[in-house]
Amino acid sequence: MLEEVERWLNARSWSAGDRPVQHLLSAKHATGQSVSVVLPALDEEATVGDIVSVIRRELVERAPLVDEIVVVDSGSSDRTSEVAAAAGARVVHRDAILPRIPAVPGKGEVLWRSLLVTGGDIVCFVDADLREFSADFVSGIVGPLLTDPDVHLVKAMYDRPLGTAPGQGGRVTELMARPLLNMHWPQLAGFVQPLGGEYAARRSLLERLPFPVGYGVELGMLVDALHLVGLDALAQVDVGVRVHRHQDGRALGRMAAAIYRTAQLRLARGHLVRPALTQFERGVDGFEPHTYAVDTEERPPMAEIAEYATRRVA
């Protein structure tokens, strides 16, 4: 590990308990910063309501740290929207945001569009499939942004159990993202959960970043933020344990391909790579190939979108 990264680990890695909520409220009042929490959601009726309820109870009603909770529904076929709204979130449908640009499937697409329907100076993203959710996932990662003006992006770090096995989650992280970062962006080797879906950032940074539309959004954002603001402006906070739904091996393969493609674009823009992945499933006549397109599209920095500029002036 680079000496620079060792120093960074000591200076920019914290625990959620390092900044009590009352301390954060004082900092929020003193700086006048507002906080938006965004949950991208697709068919998450089983979990999204509990997450919204915890945030609302702990960080809106008991301690007014969060100014708005927005669930962006990307086309759920279940009752995600109804459950989220009943729990106290403002629900916005992906396709209703910036309708002149047709939406494409993908988590990054939802996060990008969320910048147009939120107003916080700090935007906190939280995945909607978490179970046993704690408010520390929000207060922990917005804390450094409220208290340290030199910090621009904060990732959550946590244990990720796989079933009953502790620390075995995050398979794509260990098999794809961590090797890529260590080899090509070694300054980012200190991040415990580089692909984690819980992170917060200043709007002033997010609006300058391109957003890969799919699973590559977390890696792309981390790499691009490093180049824009430098390592010392990035941080991570330990929030305990993350429990969520795990995907099967084929889905993880597609995720890994999208992450690799995102990295490849940043390593050699303009170099042609076939953006497809073929996987195999056993059928009645033996193994059958199934080929999937790999997410290659990226949305431009939101600051370049006319509707966003118009909204800010208004």
Side-chain angles (χ1 to χ4, degrees):
M1 183 176 289
L2 299 175
E3 289 185 12
E4 177 186 7
V5 177
E6 291 182 355
R7 290 193 297 270
W8 176 84
L9 276 169
N10 290 325
R12 287 291 190 242
S13 295
W14 297 292
S15 169
D18 291 339
R19 294 175 174 83
V21 171
Q22 289 304 316
H23 178 52
L24 300 184
L25 288 174
S26 297
K28 177 180 167 70
H29 178 74
T31 60
Q33 297 177 92
S34 55
V35 178
S36 299
V37 176
V38 173
L39 283 77
L42 177 64
D43 295 332
E44 302 294 358
E45 68 173 353
T47 50
V48 68
D50 289 341
I51 298 171
V52 171
S53 294
V54 169
I55 298 171
R56 185 163 191 82
R57 182 180 66 248
E58 301 295 332
L59 301 178
V60 175
E61 296 169 354
R62 291 183 180 173
L65 189 70
V66 170
D67 297 279
E68 62 176 348
I69 307 168
V70 179
V71 171
V72 183
D73 191 325
S74 57
S76 296
S77 59
D78 65 3
R79 297 181 60 254
T80 290
S81 291
E82 293 87 343
V83 170
R90 176 162 60 92
V91 178
V92 184
H93 290 271
R94 177 200 63 194
D95 295 353
I97 307 170
L98 199 61
R100 74 172 176 86
I101 300 178
V104 298
K107 178 183 178 182
E109 178 84 352
V110 175
L111 301 185
W112 181 70
R113 289 174 187 264
S114 75
L115 296 181
L116 265 168
V117 293
T118 54
D121 303 302
I122 295 168
V123 182
C124 174
F125 299 119
V126 176
D127 282 350
D129 67 341
L130 303 187
R131 301 193 303 272
E132 303 174 23
F133 180 78
S134 164
D136 285 348
F137 275 77
V138 174
S139 59
I141 57 179
V142 303
L145 296 163
L146 287 169
T147 58
D148 189 336
D150 293 328
V151 175
H152 289 256
L153 184 148
V154 182
K155 297 279 293 188
M157 56 177 167
Y158 34 66
D159 294 315
R160 293 184 66 181
L162 180 61
T164 59
Q168 296 300 309
R171 290 161 288 174
V172 175
T173 292
E174 299 303 330
L175 296 174
M176 175 60 71
R178 202 177 307 285
L180 281 172
L181 293 175
N182 275 263
M183 288 187 289
H184 299 297
W185 295 281
Q187 286 179 295
L188 298 174
F191 277 93
V192 175
Q193 297 291 353
L195 299 185
E198 290 68 48
Y199 48 99
R202 300 192 187 281
R203 178 176 295 272
S204 57
L205 171 62
L206 292 171
E207 65 188 15
R208 292 187 290 153
L209 295 175
F211 276 61
V213 299
Y215 286 123
V217 63
E218 275 84 22
L219 183 134
M221 188 179 295
L222 205 54
V223 170
D224 293 339
L226 174 68
H227 290 301
L228 270 177
V229 296
L231 180 61
D232 198 50
L234 312 180
Q236 58 186 350
V237 173
D238 188 347
V239 297
V241 179
R242 184 185 197 266
V243 181
H244 68 118
R245 181 185 66 251
H246 291 284
Q247 303 201 51
D248 63 30
R250 291 186 180 87
L252 295 178
R254 296 191 288 275
M255 186 185 301
I259 290 164
Y260 177 78
R261 174 60 172 166
T262 299
Q264 189 275 331
L265 284 171
R266 281 153 179 77
L267 289 168
R269 291 190 181 274
H271 176 65
L272 182 62
V273 174
R274 179 174 177 266
L277 174 71
T278 299
Q279 297 177 314
F280 293 88
E281 297 180 20
R282 185 182 291 280
V284 294
D285 296 319
F287 285 102
E288 300 173 352
H290 296 268
T291 299
Y292 302 89
V294 174
D295 295 320
T296 59
E297 188 170 355
E298 298 197 2
R299 295 306 190 187
M302 187 57 79
E304 298 176 7
I305 300 297
E307 288 89 339
Y308 185 77
T310 302
R311 190 201 70 153
R312 298 205 74 183
V313 170

